[in-house]
Amino acid sequence: IDPGVAEWQANLAGLLGALGQTAEARYHFEQSVRLNPAYAPGRLNYARLLANMDQLAAAETQARASVDADPNLAGAHELLGFLLSAKGDLRGAVVELQAALRLHSDSARARYELGLALGRLGDSAGAQQQLKLAAESADPAIRSAALQVLQRLGK
């Protein structure tokens, strides 16, 4: 255990966040970033904490920094895509969600979010394709959400 190591700080922050101690978690994530700004998994988990706290602009900053630090981190692209979609940057969201799927093709969440973004952009065929794939997910929440959207679309 070494508080001078970014990974240690990020792991402690993740544990504190899981326990609902968000202020303490945020402090330790900030320490992790200070110690090693290029530690992408720590930035990604910090972005997730911020998103859960509805601090979407700050979450986007951390998710983007995570993508920049490790372009092969699928979860960072997925979260950034979700955050961009939430703020209405649908084209940016599509780019990030497609990157997430290139890196991790089984991500039902990325498929679901991509389906929603494509639908909002008017690409109903692309949206349906992604939502149908998401509806095959083992994750019951994603499966249910995708089926509900497909049902609304009449597909």
Side-chain angles (χ1 to χ4, degrees):
I1 297 176
D2 184 352
V5 174
E7 292 83 351
W8 185 87
Q9 290 286 343
N11 289 338
L12 177 58
L15 176 62
L16 292 166
L19 295 172
Q21 299 176 19
T22 55
E24 294 86 352
R26 187 171 187 167
Y27 169 80
H28 288 284
F29 275 128
E30 288 170 357
Q31 293 304 307
S32 175
V33 168
R34 183 184 58 75
L35 290 165
N36 184 357
Y39 181 54
R43 283 192 177 263
L44 172 57
N45 288 330
Y46 187 19
R48 288 178 175 145
L49 176 78
L50 293 166
N52 288 337
M53 296 169 64
D54 287 328
Q55 296 182 13
L56 302 185
E60 180 186 342
T61 298
Q62 293 303 319
R64 194 173 300 281
S66 183
V67 165
D68 291 345
D70 184 355
N72 293 316
L73 191 56
H77 288 282
E78 184 177 311
L79 180 58
L80 182 55
F82 169 78
L83 293 165
L84 292 172
S85 182
K87 78 173 196 179
D89 180 358
L90 300 175
R91 295 198 190 289
V94 167
V95 168
E96 293 302 329
L97 293 165
Q98 288 173 334
L101 287 167
R102 275 192 302 278
L103 294 165
H104 183 67
S105 61
D106 326 353
S107 175
R109 180 167 302 282
R111 290 204 180 281
Y112 173 74
E113 295 296 339
L114 179 57
L116 294 180
L118 290 170
R120 289 173 58 198
L121 283 169
D123 180 356
S124 58
Q128 288 173 27
Q129 178 187 23
Q130 295 303 320
L131 290 166
K132 284 178 181 176
L133 289 167
E136 297 171 2
S137 170
D139 180 328
I142 296 294
R143 185 175 56 245
S144 175
L147 288 170
Q148 286 177 4
V149 175
L150 286 166
Q151 189 174 47
R152 277 194 308 247
L153 296 174
K155 304 295 173 193

